[in-house]
Amino acid sequence: MSFILRGLLSGGRAVYRARAPCLHYGSVAPDICERTLVAVKPDGVQRRLVGEIIKRFEKRGFKLVGMKLLQAPEGILSEHYHDLQKKPFYPALIHYMASGPVVAMVWEGHNVVKSSRLMVGETDSSQAKPGTVRGDFSVHISRNVIHASDSVEVAEKEIGLWFHRAELVSWETNDHIDLYQV
Ligand code: UDP
Ligand code: MG
């Protein structure tokens, strides 16, 4: 059985529900269909950290439903960091994010937005705890390796900004009984 993501068109781009309509396996099924955008930034790609980062999300039990390597267009970056455009570091941030390819991914699972932020660690790498991506692989806020959406609402917008509807794949795992009480 499969389900179809409902994309709502907004400004020419599809906006996807971070809480997509989802299969429920039983009466106590948790919300296992929350989605978030995770992106390995250009420094992470250059440093060959893509596999390490994917491994962490897979081992945690999240499900990959979208992934691509791309040279991020300026339009996506300016929209993505729209709220930061008045910050003094904004020009350097855009330059950094456009300096090489990024790997954009959509991960799905229970509480994935909050869990991803915890796995990624503090924005300022010097404050990021060991065991987090930033705490293990980054020493400075300006080169902090990875992005993860910071709320379900933001995840919804960011997924719609970075991915077209057809690029997201809804698929069933057969390990949900090991991962969730269903
Ligand atoms: N950033 C920076 N200098 C700062 C604050 C942020 O270069 O003083 C960059 C950094 O790459 C960060 C991104 O801007 O990841 C977005 O900032 P935000 O506060 O949204 O942090 P995040 O959500 O990535 O943890
Ligand atoms: Mg942010």
Side-chain angles (χ1 to χ4, degrees), residues 45-101:
V45 175
Q46 285 289 338
R47 293 172 57 198
R48 317 296 200 270
L49 292 173
V50 174
E52 170 67 34
I53 288 166
I54 291 173
K55 185 174 83 175
R56 291 180 177 215
F57 282 82
E58 281 199 312
K59 285 175 79 174
R60 182 77 188 265
F62 294 123
K63 181 166 72 172
L64 184 63
V65 295
M67 180 167 70
K68 60 184 170 183
L69 174 81
L70 75 163
Q71 178 69 46
E74 189 104 2
I76 288 188
L77 293 177
S78 56
E79 180 66 28
H80 182 84
Y81 286 123
H82 182 263
D83 292 350
L84 300 176
Q85 62 183 314
K86 300 233 155 44
K87 301 281 187 188
F89 58 83
Y90 178 81
L93 171 61
I94 298 299
H95 185 262
Y96 156 52
M97 290 297 293
S99 67

Side-chain angles (χ1 to χ4, degrees), residues 8-160:
L8 304 171
L9 282 181
S10 166
R13 283 197 167 269
V15 175
Y16 292 93
R17 296 175 190 282
R19 292 180 193 279
C22 188
L23 296 175
H24 289 285
Y25 296 99
S27 57
V28 291
D31 180 0
I32 59 177
C33 291
E34 187 172 300
R35 291 181 170 188
T36 197
L37 181 87
V38 172
V40 184
K41 295 178 174 181
D43 53 330
V45 175
Q46 285 289 338
R47 293 172 57 198
R48 317 296 200 270
L49 292 173
V50 174
E52 170 67 34
I53 288 166
I54 291 173
K55 185 174 83 175
R56 291 180 177 215
F57 282 82
E58 281 199 312
K59 285 175 79 174
R60 182 77 188 265
F62 294 123
K63 181 166 72 172
L64 184 63
V65 295
M67 180 167 70
K68 60 184 170 183
L69 174 81
L70 75 163
Q71 178 69 46
E74 189 104 2
I76 288 188
L77 293 177
S78 56
E79 180 66 28
H80 182 84
Y81 286 123
H82 182 263
D83 292 350
L84 300 176
Q85 62 183 314
K86 300 233 155 44
K87 301 281 187 188
F89 58 83
Y90 178 81
L93 171 61
I94 298 299
H95 185 262
Y96 156 52
M97 290 297 293
S99 67
V102 305
V103 173
M105 297 176 272
V106 179
W107 288 92
E108 182 180 289
H110 176 63
N111 213 23
V112 68
V113 171
K114 190 166 180 208
S115 297
S116 298
R117 291 290 292 188
L118 292 172
M119 291 165 71
V120 161
E122 294 286 323
T123 305
D124 182 349
S125 307
S126 65
Q127 303 300 313
K129 291 191 173 59
T132 66
V133 174
R134 289 167 174 167
D136 287 349
F137 302 117
S138 166
V139 290
H140 197 267
I141 193 169
S142 65
R143 296 288 182 272
N144 60 4
V145 173
I146 188 168
H147 166 83
S149 309
D150 64 7
S151 70
V152 171
E153 292 70 31
V154 168
E156 191 172 301
K157 285 192 196 127
E158 291 182 349
I159 291 168

